[in-house]
Structure formats: C-alpha cells, structure tokens
Amino acid sequence: MNTSVSGNPAKSLRQLPSVDAVLKQATALVKEYGHDLVTVKIQLLLGSRRESMLAGNESEADSTTITLEILNQLRLALEQDSQSSLMPVFNLTGTILHTNLGRAVLPRCALDAVAAAASDSVNLEYDLQNGERGERDSHFESLVCELTGAEAATAVNNNAAAVLLLLNTLALGKEVPVSRGELVEIGGSFRIPEIMERSDCTLVEVGATNRTHLKDYQKAINDNTALLLKVHTSNYRIEGFTAEVAEAELAALASKNKIPFVMDMGSGCLVDLAQYGLPSEPTAAQAIATGADLITFSGDKLLGGPQCGIIAGKKVLIDEIRNNPLKRALRLDKMTIAALVAVLNLYRNPSSLLQELPAMRQLTRSLDDVHAQAERLCSPMQAALGMGYEVVIEATDSQIGSGALPVKSIPSAALVISPLCGKDKALRDLEQAFRRLPKPVIGRIHRGAYWLDFRCLEPVAEQNFIEQLGSLERIPK
Ligand SMILES: *Cc1c(COP(=O)(O)O)cnc(C)c1O
C-alpha cells in the first residue's frame, strides 16, 4: 500500500496515538458497540500498526493522519464483526425448496405471526379459558387434523426428529420391517437404518432392492414386531422390474397383526398438486384415508412452512409419543408454532393459497411468466457483464427439491452466461462474482456455462436484482 517506507521507525512510533486518544474520537462508535469492544479493537489495531512500523512497512505520517486511519479501520472492523454470516440470497439454482438455501420462504402472514409471538409473552402452554396449564400442541393440532383427517397430531423440530421420536416411542427394543427398496438417505445425514439404530429399534430388511411383496412383510412379522414402516422414496425412483406393496395392503396386514402402520411421507403435501398442473404427490389426507395409523412429514418442504416435523394419526399413539421424554428435547418453539399456524390457515382457503404461499406461487408460476422475466433481464445482464460474455435465454427444468418428486421437473427459463474466452477459470470467477454481490446470487454451472433459473425470482425483487448488477465489477469485461 505504502510506496515510501519510513527510514526511522522509532521516530514514527512517537506519532502512534494512545488507546485513549483514539477512544476519545470514537464516541459514536462507543455508543453503538460499547466501550469494552471498541477498546479491544483499538488495542488490536494499534498493535498491528506498531508492528508494521517496526518492520519498516509504513511511510511517515503525523499523529492526526494515523488517528484518522485507525478510526476508519475501527469502523470497518466493527461493522464487519457485527454482520451476521446468515443473510438473504437470490436462489436462482432452479431448485425451489433448496435445503442448503433454507427451503421454503415464509408468507407475509407467517412473518407477522412470528414477530408478534417473538416480541411478547404468549399463551404458549397456558389455557386462557380455564386459567391453567395448557398444551403447546393445542395451537396447531386441530388445524392439522382438519387438513389431514387425522384424530390427533403433534410436531417436533423436523421430520428426522419426528421419525426418531416415533420409533423411539413405539418400537423401543423391538423390530421394524422395512423394504430394502426404502432404506433411504436424505441430504447425507438422515439415513433410515441409522435413525432406527439411534431410536433403539431393530431394522428388519425385507424384500429386495427392486421388488418387495406382501409375503416378505408377512414372513418378517413376529411377536417382537413393533410396527410396519413405509418410507416415501422421496429423492429417487427405482425403475424397471419393480414391485412394492400398496399402502392399503400394508395397512390391512398391520391391522390383522394388531400393530400400527406408519408412513414417513417426507414432503408434507396437503393438497393435490395435479389440480394445478403439477406432478402429483401423495397427500397426507390420502395416506390417512388409506389406513396409515401415523404419518410424519416436514413443515418446510411442499407444505411451504417453517422447519418442523409433523406427526399425525391415531390419538392413542400420539398420546404415547407426547409422553416420551424425548419430545421435550425436540419440541417446537413459539415462533415456529406461530409460523406453522399461519401457514396451515392458508390451506383452509385453497383459492388464495397459490398467491399467498411463496412455495406454491413459485411452483405454479407459469413458464410464460418466467420466460418474460428472463427476457426483461437479458439486456441489463449483458450491459453489466460487457462484451466478454454471451448472454442467452434457454429453456430449463426447475426441480421441486428437498426430495419431493425427484424425477419430475417443471419447465422454466434461464439466462445462460458464457465467457467468450471459453476458459474454465473465467466461468468460475463469474460464478464467484455473483456469489459476492451484496445479496449473493446463487446460480449453477452446467454444461460449461453459468445458469440463472428465474423461477424463484419474485417480480417484487427484480429491481433489486438488476440494480446490484452494477456491483459486478471484479470480473474482466
Ligand atoms: C426429507 C425427508 C426426511 C427428513 O426430513 P427433515 O424435515 O429434513 O428432517 C425424512 N424422511 C423422508 C422420506 C424425507 O423425504
């Protein structure tokens, strides 16, 4: 930074201000960040400035100049420190419910409900009618029952926790037969065999990877069988010579043996997506109607709500699950409950659901609409990038994500950007430049180009997206 270095470090050192001298001029910062934090930062900055001077790396400057420089560095350091590493991004990956990007975006009504619950005391476990202790689950239980046809419901931190709690309650020390075709791994850390081990129940693998028959389950059932579990193979499909046992048959088999039939549904689909022209996914109500005694599903996948895991079904079983001490360790907080109730309420009025719920809005957004947006963005993008890049509109396929409907996709439109030099490094630099924007843009590199799928760019955010393209200055034009 400095071209001429000091010839006399000792003389320069005398120009270094004291901690108190800097502190006196930092009153606004002290007010904002507190005396102790600011003092520590000043000590650090003065310390490294001293080292740099002793090493002869600083040009001569008077005390006033040094103090101003230190004050500037101080403000930047404090600002950087107080910035959360968790921040909003543009999800242009083409995956709507992206686990790494926080899955479902909450609707306005849920945000308001969260703010209200967070900023005040609430009747979380207090029965206002009778003035006595209430039940945390009571706020959403009747809504879940109404929307699924279940008798009772509870909820925990996520669906993985729901499966864990369910098995730990109903299958502790017992056996659970599961089809070899359903021993799924989701997102690297949730594996059915491992969850079963941690739940202290024994997995009994039945059938083959591609084919499992009713008689395989029949043979596996003995006096120590706790329940039958069907796991929705939500992130893959086994195709070809395949067979699985229909839910109704499994329900009947379980009932004959007086054990519960449980379905881990993965995505919490509450409405028939086919009515909106989307690939259909089994709904929670269908599962209950088919004879599932209990179902579990995520709150932040297709349901479009906050992260949580819902368990719904027979009241006797739900009561047992609620009494498991682990429920206390996995329970929902008031903000999640507030958001969940707000989102579930939207499902009571399906006609406004598509407009109000971001997940549904993004899923059902028409190709024409996304394409028109890509057209609007094409020339601002070209202008921001300069002539070193080719920008074209291409048809693409959005994924629903989070394991829902793995092999089905939704037609979408993308801007596809290619560095004309054709170099791999240029492509990676471009991707990085987008990631370093004030509101980072997350796209994907595909077939030697950078793809931005606009399905999840809400029209209200479009202006902000265009404006910050001006900050894309680190890439060669
Ligand atoms: C996604 C999924 C889970 C895990 O749910 P989380 O809410 O991510 O904990 C479990 N089972 C199935 C079948 C899933 O699709």
Side-chain angles (χ1 to χ4, degrees):
M1 205 162 69
N2 296 298
T3 45
S4 72
V5 294
S6 162
N8 185 350
K11 189 173 149 222
S12 293
L13 276 181
R14 282 198 292 278
Q15 299 300 316
L16 197 65
S18 68
V19 173
D20 277 344
V22 182
L23 206 49
K24 274 210 190 79
Q25 301 208 36
T27 44
L29 292 174
V30 168
K31 189 154 179 249
E32 188 170 352
Y33 297 99
H35 177 273
D36 294 354
L37 181 61
V38 174
T39 307
V40 169
K41 280 276 178 236
I42 295 173
Q43 284 164 344
L44 285 173
L45 288 169
L46 289 176
S48 62
R49 183 69 174 237
R50 175 190 302 273
E51 268 176 36
S52 178
M53 284 171 156
L54 285 172
N57 293 333
E58 299 285 336
S59 54
E60 276 184 40
D62 60 28
S63 168
T64 316
T65 311
I66 298 178
T67 306
L68 279 179
E69 283 172 11
I70 296 284
L71 280 168
N72 261 334
Q73 292 167 356
L74 178 66
R75 190 176 40 77
L76 283 177
L78 288 166
E79 272 172 15
Q80 230 163 42
D81 260 21
S82 64
Q83 207 175 55
S84 168
S85 70
L86 185 69
M87 60 171 100
V89 301
F90 284 108
N91 171 14
L92 304 188
T93 59
T95 299
I96 299 166
L97 299 163
H98 199 301
T99 300
N100 303 147
L101 302 181
R103 291 193 185 159
V105 172
L106 292 179
R108 185 76 242 165
C109 61
L111 304 183
D112 293 344
V114 168
S119 57
D120 219 330
S121 295
V122 293
N123 59 331
L124 181 61
E125 290 184 354
Y126 185 75
D127 179 344
L128 285 175
Q129 211 122 52
N130 302 312
E132 54 196 35
R133 193 179 184 287
E135 177 51 64
R136 187 176 288 249
D137 291 353
S138 67
H139 304 288
F140 56 81
E141 183 172 18
S142 56
L143 268 170
V144 173
C145 292
E146 180 187 317
L147 295 165
T148 61
E151 289 172 13
T154 184
V156 285
N157 187 50
N158 52 28
N159 189 31
V163 175
L164 175 83
L165 181 64
L166 186 155
L167 291 173
N168 181 267
T169 308
L170 303 175
L172 191 68
K174 294 179 137 193
E175 295 177 2
V176 177
V178 182
S179 164
R180 286 199 169 87
E182 297 171 8
L183 298 176
V184 303
E185 170 180 304
I186 284 138
S189 51
F190 177 89
R191 284 178 166 174
I192 286 291
E194 286 168 14
I195 285 278
M196 293 184 77
E197 200 180 310
R198 292 290 170 149
S199 313
D200 263 330
C201 65
T202 307
L203 163 67
V204 179
E205 298 184 18
V206 301
T209 308
N210 57 333
R211 290 173 73 83
T212 300
H213 307 280
L214 191 65
K215 62 176 190 288
D216 296 321
Y217 286 97
Q218 269 162 344
K219 269 192 296 192
I221 295 177
N222 60 42
D223 289 346
N224 201 29
T225 304
L227 52 88
L228 292 186
L229 174 64
K230 186 155 180 71
V231 182
H232 185 50
T233 54
S234 42
N235 52 4
Y236 66 98
R237 251 329 158 256
I238 296 177
E239 293 190 21
F241 184 55
T242 63
E244 60 175 330
V245 183
E247 280 120 30
E249 284 183 77
L250 278 179
L253 180 64
S255 161
K256 206 175 95 196
N257 287 278
K258 301 195 164 44
I259 50 175
F261 172 48
V262 174
M263 283 173 69
D264 171 9
M265 306 196 64
S267 246
C269 192
L270 295 181
V271 290
D272 182 8
L273 295 178
Q275 67 182 307
Y276 307 121
L278 291 166
S280 79
E281 175 92 339
T283 67
Q286 282 162 0
I288 294 286
T290 313
D293 296 301
L294 285 176
I295 55 174
T296 76
F297 52 94
S298 298
D300 54 351
K301 291 184 178 173
L302 277 176
L303 196 147
Q307 179 190 304
C308 62
I310 296 169
I311 312 176
K314 294 270 156 62
K315 182 165 183 335
V316 279
L317 301 174
I318 295 288
D319 283 344
E320 241 186 284
I321 289 169
R322 259 194 207 120
N323 289 330
N324 184 333
L326 268 183
K327 166 69 166 47
R328 171 67 173 74
L330 302 170
R331 73 184 183 187
L332 296 185
D333 70 304
K334 62 176 179 175
M335 291 184 279
T336 305
I337 292 176
L340 178 63
V341 170
V343 169
L344 290 175
N345 262 315
L346 290 179
Y347 278 92
R348 300 178 91 180
N349 180 6
S351 64
S352 64
L353 187 65
L354 294 193
Q355 269 323 299
E356 303 284 325
L357 195 63
M360 280 294 168
R361 196 159 64 218
Q362 292 166 358
L363 274 167
T364 58
R365 201 175 157 202
S366 76
L367 174 59
D368 284 350
D369 199 41
V370 186
H371 197 274
Q373 187 175 42
E375 277 179 345
R376 285 195 299 277
L377 292 170
C378 195
S379 55
M381 182 65 78
Q382 185 73 70
L385 292 173
M387 297 321 289
Y389 298 84
E390 181 195 59
V391 182
V392 294
I393 299 169
E394 292 267 8
T396 184
D397 285 316
S398 301
Q399 307 283 320
I400 296 179
S402 289
L405 307 165
V407 289
K408 317 244 174 71
S409 50
I410 307 170
S412 189
L415 281 187
V416 180
I417 307 168
S418 320
L420 289 181
C421 69
K423 290 199 185 108
D424 207 40
K425 171 149 191 329
L427 189 59
R428 276 181 282 121
D429 286 349
L430 179 74
E431 186 265 344
Q432 178 177 345
F434 275 95
R435 248 190 298 126
R436 290 186 174 175
L437 282 169
K439 179 170 173 178
V441 171
I442 317 293
R444 72 198 161 101
I445 291 179
H446 175 59
R447 294 206 308 243
Y450 184 58
W451 291 62
L452 298 173
D453 179 332
F454 290 111
R455 175 160 294 280
C456 296
L457 181 63
E458 300 261 358
V460 288
E462 192 176 310
Q463 202 50 40
N464 177 219
F465 178 82
I466 294 173
E467 275 161 18
Q468 71 159 5
L469 289 179
S471 314
L472 266 178
E473 55 206 355
R474 301 184 68 262
I475 51 166
K477 303 253 167 173

